[in-house]
């Protein structure tokens, strides 16, 4: 079964996202459109070891010169060093303006390989094949590519749209539970900023004991991706509406930084961040039921005992988020589930209280 979403971008050509369980045929048909004999694959090391047979024979039917480069696992791969090595690989192996590059892996591979595609010869065709839940619902959509710098995450990069995305849940068969949980946070976020029924649909996957079954996730993956597409299509270069995708993230980024990007995964930090954002929303006079989020808490295996900063200090840290402009703290809060708004913070006391509650919940 396969399905597609059509993505319109105002800056580059429009493209399709394909969804399904084994998209080999769709991929085969798509690559027929390239005239090049050469293609590049930049693939996550784990994916290469376990799934090479799933993509290589298909790509080789079209590209007799298929150059495969392995991206080491982990966030450290989004470095100047690996970027340089990947770029060297592409430039030294006969790349031309029409030579496609396939990014096969999670968000790390997608961001890095996307940036290689964006910069080699000022841009070569990029095809994303996301292999984690997070990359299927988030990082492969929206055109952000890039690497980290010693002074911060994602500080070097560009907006560069792919020519297609293949979200093939076949890859998810090997995804460890902690990576499912990592992606879950973004899926729940889409529930809060757009479609509250997502929360119940995700809960059903747990109740039916299919939480790590890619095929069972297909409809939620597609629904989540559609929301991201809708939001980023209205704001391709991130000047306005796209900010709602940061629900829970301004709080979460503080935890990630405080934990040195080691103590918590992004998904864990965002989950705690959403708890804080719901508290903050409620302090401003609404009444959003926290239990709809807390029903997922047992899947997460972190606590916030290691946070040594006070709630006041955590509020101060939020002002250093790279998305804060002119020192003005802006938060994405909710009027109710599914209805987000941007709040310019004047009185910080309620945010401090939201932090206090969150630290207590995860103590
Ligand atoms: N570009 C964007 O808009 C955007 C949005 C969100 C996040 N990101 C970036 O995405 C990255 C996080 O992405 P991620 O969570 O996918 O992390 P990741 O790419 O590091 O993948 C997580 C882990 O899963 C492994 N893995 C990948 N596919 C697998 C599979 N099919 N089976 C088993 N293991 C598999 C990887 O080797 C890695 O160990 C961060 O660098 C973040 O900055 C980018």
């Amino acid at each position: 079964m396969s399905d597609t979403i059509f993505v319109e971008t105002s800056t580059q050509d429009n493209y399709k996202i394909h969804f399904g369980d084994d998209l080999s045929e769709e991929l085969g048909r798509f690559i027929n459109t390239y005239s090049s004999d050469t293609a590049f694959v930049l693939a996550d090391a784990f994916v290469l070891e376990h799934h090479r047979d799933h993509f290589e024979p298909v790509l080789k039917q079209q590209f007799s010169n298929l150059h495969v480069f392995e991206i080491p696992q982990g966030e450290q791969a989004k470095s100047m060093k690996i970027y340089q090595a990947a770029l060297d690989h592409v430039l030294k192996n006969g790349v031309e303006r029409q030579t496609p590059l396939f990014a096969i892996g999670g968000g790390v591979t997608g961001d890095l390989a996307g940036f290689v595609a964006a910069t080699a010869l000022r841009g070569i065709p990029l095809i994303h094949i996301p292999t984690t839940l997070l990359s299927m619902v988030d990082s492969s959509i929206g055109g952000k590519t890039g690497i980290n710098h010693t002074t911060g995450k994602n500080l070097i990069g560009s907006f560069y749209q792919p020519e297609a995305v293949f979200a093939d849940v076949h890859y998810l068969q090997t995804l460890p539970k902690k990576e499912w949980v990592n992606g879950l946070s973004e899926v729940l976020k889409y529930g809060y900023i757009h479609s509250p029924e997502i929360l119940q649909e995700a809960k059903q996957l747990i109740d039916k004991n299919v939480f790590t079954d890619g095929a069972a996730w297909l409809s939620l993956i597609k629904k989540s991706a559609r929301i991201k597409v809708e939001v980023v299509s209205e704001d391709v270069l991130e000047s306005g509406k796209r900010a709602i995708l940061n629900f829970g993230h301004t709080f979460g980024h503080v935890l990630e930084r405080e934990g040195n990007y080691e103590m918590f995964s992004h998904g864990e930090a965002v989950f705690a961040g959403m708890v804080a954002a719901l508290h903050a929303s409620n302090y401003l006079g609404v009444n959003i039921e926290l239990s709809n989020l807390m029903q997922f808490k047992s899947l997460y295996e972190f606590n916030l005992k290691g946070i040594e900063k006070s709630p006041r200090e955590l509020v101060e840290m939020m002002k250093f988020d790279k998305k804060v402009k002119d020192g003005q703290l802006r938060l994405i809060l909710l009027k109710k589930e599914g209805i987000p708004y941007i709040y310019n913070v004047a009185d910080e006391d309620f945010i401090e209280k939201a932090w206090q509650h969150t630290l207590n919940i995860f103590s």
Side-chain angles (χ1 to χ4, degrees), residues 44 46-47 51 73-75 78 106-109 111 131-132 134-135 138-139 141 144 153-154 171-172 174-176 179 182 228:
D44 173 278
F46 182 95
V47 173
H51 297 286
Q73 283 182 271
E75 185 68 29
K78 276 171 62 176
V108 162
T109 297
D111 281 11
T131 63
T132 60
L134 182 131
S135 55
D138 190 356
S139 60
I141 307 161
K144 283 192 192 174
K153 255 188 76 131
N154 298 327
Y171 289 100
L172 299 178
T174 51
L175 198 69
E179 297 303 337
N182 199 30
K228 175 131 190 200

Side-chain angles (χ1 to χ4, degrees), residues 32-211:
N32 263 331
T33 56
Y34 291 102
S35 54
S36 169
D37 292 337
T38 303
F40 292 93
V41 168
L42 270 54
D44 173 278
F46 182 95
V47 173
L48 206 46
E49 190 185 335
H50 293 87
H51 297 286
R52 194 169 187 144
D53 289 351
H54 188 57
F55 63 80
E56 196 168 59
V58 180
L59 297 182
K60 277 200 162 156
Q61 280 173 23
Q62 178 70 20
F63 307 110
S64 46
N65 300 319
L66 188 70
H67 299 282
V68 180
F69 182 85
E70 179 178 312
I71 308 287
Q73 283 182 271
E75 185 68 29
Q76 310 82 276
K78 276 171 62 176
S79 65
M80 287 292 248
K81 188 169 158 232
I82 308 289
Y83 166 68
Q84 164 113 44
L87 196 56
D88 282 352
H89 176 82
V90 168
L91 294 177
K92 287 178 179 170
N93 283 295
V95 66
E96 293 178 2
R97 274 305 310 270
Q98 295 312 322
T99 313
L101 184 153
F102 296 82
I104 310 183
V108 162
T109 297
D111 281 11
L112 170 79
F115 190 49
V116 171
T119 48
L121 309 184
R122 294 200 186 89
I124 58 173
L126 166 68
I127 297 95
H128 276 303
I129 304 188
T131 63
T132 60
L133 176 61
L134 182 131
S135 55
M136 289 185 188
V137 299
D138 190 356
S139 60
S140 65
I141 307 161
K144 283 192 192 174
T145 72
I147 56 174
N148 302 327
H149 185 255
T150 47
T151 56
K153 255 188 76 131
N154 298 327
L155 295 186
I156 305 164
S158 71
F159 285 95
Y160 194 68
Q161 305 293 342
E163 298 201 338
V165 178
F166 289 87
D168 183 347
V169 296
H170 171 90
Y171 289 100
L172 299 178
Q173 284 172 11
T174 51
L175 198 69
K177 175 149 178 250
K178 76 174 173 47
E179 297 303 337
W180 283 100
V181 174
N182 199 30
L184 173 70
S185 295
E186 301 298 341
V187 172
L188 298 177
K189 176 191 79 179
Y190 294 124
Y192 278 110
I193 64 167
H194 193 284
S195 301
E197 76 276 7
I198 283 181
L199 299 166
Q200 294 325 319
E201 287 173 29
K203 181 64 169 46
Q204 278 167 22
L205 295 177
I206 301 165
D207 295 344
K208 290 183 184 157
N209 212 9
V210 288
F211 183 69

Side-chain angles (χ1 to χ4, degrees), residues 199-306:
L199 299 166
Q200 294 325 319
E201 287 173 29
K203 181 64 169 46
Q204 278 167 22
L205 295 177
I206 301 165
D207 295 344
K208 290 183 184 157
N209 212 9
V210 288
F211 183 69
T212 59
D213 175 345
W217 268 89
L218 251 177
S219 129
L220 259 185
I221 289 173
K222 192 174 163 198
K223 200 176 262 189
S224 301
R226 189 180 287 287
I227 296 170
K228 175 131 190 200
V229 166
E230 195 182 305
V231 174
V232 300
S233 300
E234 285 178 33
D235 182 15
V236 175
L237 297 179
E238 199 174 31
S239 48
K241 179 163 185 190
R242 205 160 166 155
I244 65 170
L245 296 171
N246 274 330
F247 176 67
H249 283 58
T250 311
F251 289 96
H253 289 159
V254 165
L255 296 176
E256 282 187 281
R257 265 190 289 143
E258 185 55 12
N260 234 344
Y261 296 97
E262 283 165 7
M263 213 186 278
F264 316 107
S265 71
H266 179 70
E268 290 170 343
V270 167
F271 186 76
M274 289 193 290
V275 171
L278 289 181
H279 275 296
S281 303
N282 283 345
Y283 279 120
L284 292 177
V286 296
N287 189 11
I288 300 165
E289 192 51 70
L290 248 92
S291 58
N292 286 343
L293 185 59
M294 297 314 284
Q295 63 186 344
F296 298 98
K297 181 170 177 280
S298 60
L299 290 171
Y300 291 80
E301 289 178 353
F302 71 100
N303 63 60
L304 297 180
K305 286 181 193 149

